Amino acid sequence: MKKLLFLTSILTVLTLFSCASADKNESKVDPYMIETVSNLVSKRTVDNNPLLPNFYCADPTAVVYEGRLYVIGTNDHQMYQNLKADEDVNYGYINTLAVMSTDDMANWTFHGEIKVNQIARWAGNSWAPSIASRKEDDGLTHFYLYFANGGNGIGVLTATSPLGPWKDPLGKALISRGVKGLGKCDWLFDPGVVIDEKGEGYIAFGGGPGHDNCKIAKLGKDMISLDMETGIVALPETPNHFEANELNYVNGTYILSYCSAWDQQPAAEMCYMTSKTPLDAGSWVNGGSFFQNTGVFGMGYGNNHSHIEKFQGKYYQIYQAHDLHTVFNVKGDCRNINIDVLELDEATGKISKCKGTKKGVPQTANPSVSVKTGFETLATGSGFRYKTLQGSGDIVVQATTQETIGGWTMLKQADLKESLEKITVRAKGQGTLKVYLDTNKVSDATPLASMKIDEENFAEISSKLTDYEAGLHDVYFVFSNGLELDWWVME
């Protein structure tokens, strides 16, 4: 795995990017000691973009379920881990999808990877997913996750939770080169799926330069077949269409968004069209560009892909940017996911111009510290990685810096009620975990709690809390290398 070194100011402390392996310290050190904390290098505490401060992901899609917004994307981190020294991009490495979720738009939970290649063994790749959900006759909400098998086919997985377990219901591609009525389709990829108020599903797909590459079809009642009676419809009058198809349905209007080509204007921007009758190619009305390339907003130039989602009464633009890899001096174009507010007129389907920002969107709720919370739920942090435990599949957090430096994470604007007395964590390894409010500067502040951990296996360890002022606080966890942190709760 790649190692990325950063030179911090004055102290010249070497810190490693969160997913790199830690160097073994040659000198004898106290394994419980933390001299300082790795600097924040990717996401300021006042910003809410990118969603994850240390994980590469792209081509977002989203679904709302039980009060949470789930975002699923192309797992660029898998590409990052496999890129050779002479490679900038190689999407051929990607055969998994990454999942994250939030209920407050500031703190995000990383749920790990969907191992598409192990579920749909016929598929070599998994790019640009699109997810839709519908309550079925069994009373359960069923999720349908579509993905591109490279540029030559589209598959579908099913589950009754956005976290799976996922199944491959077909054992083959839903749409392949041999499907009847496909016609010209240079790149058979980038599915965009929506279910309308009648419960009927539609899928848009295709890409490449020139006309007739954008397609739309009605899905069968089972959502895992095509309605061959209506067939596949080409949308030749889709101005400057190139890739990144997404479908939305708002108050009787179908909205097709897509990325425009680089060699025309507007270049690599998100554009859209609207229709009341999606299978009538002539019914689609051009809405123009609504989101410029992220390079315009200082987030790196590159391909564009976005998803529109309504959550907690507001519309959001979830999109990929190209700046996180630059921060970490990664040669390859490993992308990251951001989110900003979008204005969409529900009466007409008109989308106003949207801007990409580092600040992102406002926090909508404040997490309680009295609810058991996984360490993988955070707003930002540095010097750590996510680790999936074998067997259980649980996600834990692990420091990746030198032993005496440590990593840190932060939960933004959490609600600390009065009379909390202790914190309990589930952890393993040997090291120190310290908790601070509103700062991670270990030399300048008194910790809310401090504990030495020396556990060969995961165990629950508790510590008393020092005096604190009740109210909303940023909660920082500062931990030394050698620890694996599962969850925490204050009581």
Side-chain angles (χ1 to χ4, degrees), residues 115-125 147 155-157 167-168 171-172:
K115 297 183 178 180
V116 177
N117 64 319
Q118 296 182 18
I119 302 167
R121 295 189 178 276
W122 57 268
N125 295 112
F147 64 92
V156 58
L157 305 180
K167 298 179 180 179
D168 174 18
K172 62 180 181 179

Side-chain angles (χ1 to χ4, degrees), residues 48 51 68 101-109 363 365-367 377-380 410-414:
N48 286 332
L51 306 190
R68 296 189 69 85
S101 74
T102 186
D103 61 1
D104 65 20
M105 304 306 290
N107 298 294
W108 288 84
T109 301
Q363 187 167 347
N366 303 104
T377 297
L378 54 97
T380 188
M410 183 266 275
L411 188 75
K412 182 172 284 190
Q413 291 296 280

Side-chain angles (χ1 to χ4, degrees), residues 152-154 173-180 182 188 205 226 232:
N152 284 297
I154 293 169
L174 167 64
I175 305 174
S176 63
R177 287 290 177 185
V179 68
K180 182 180 178 181
L182 177 63
L188 181 48
F205 61 93
L226 296 182
I232 298 173

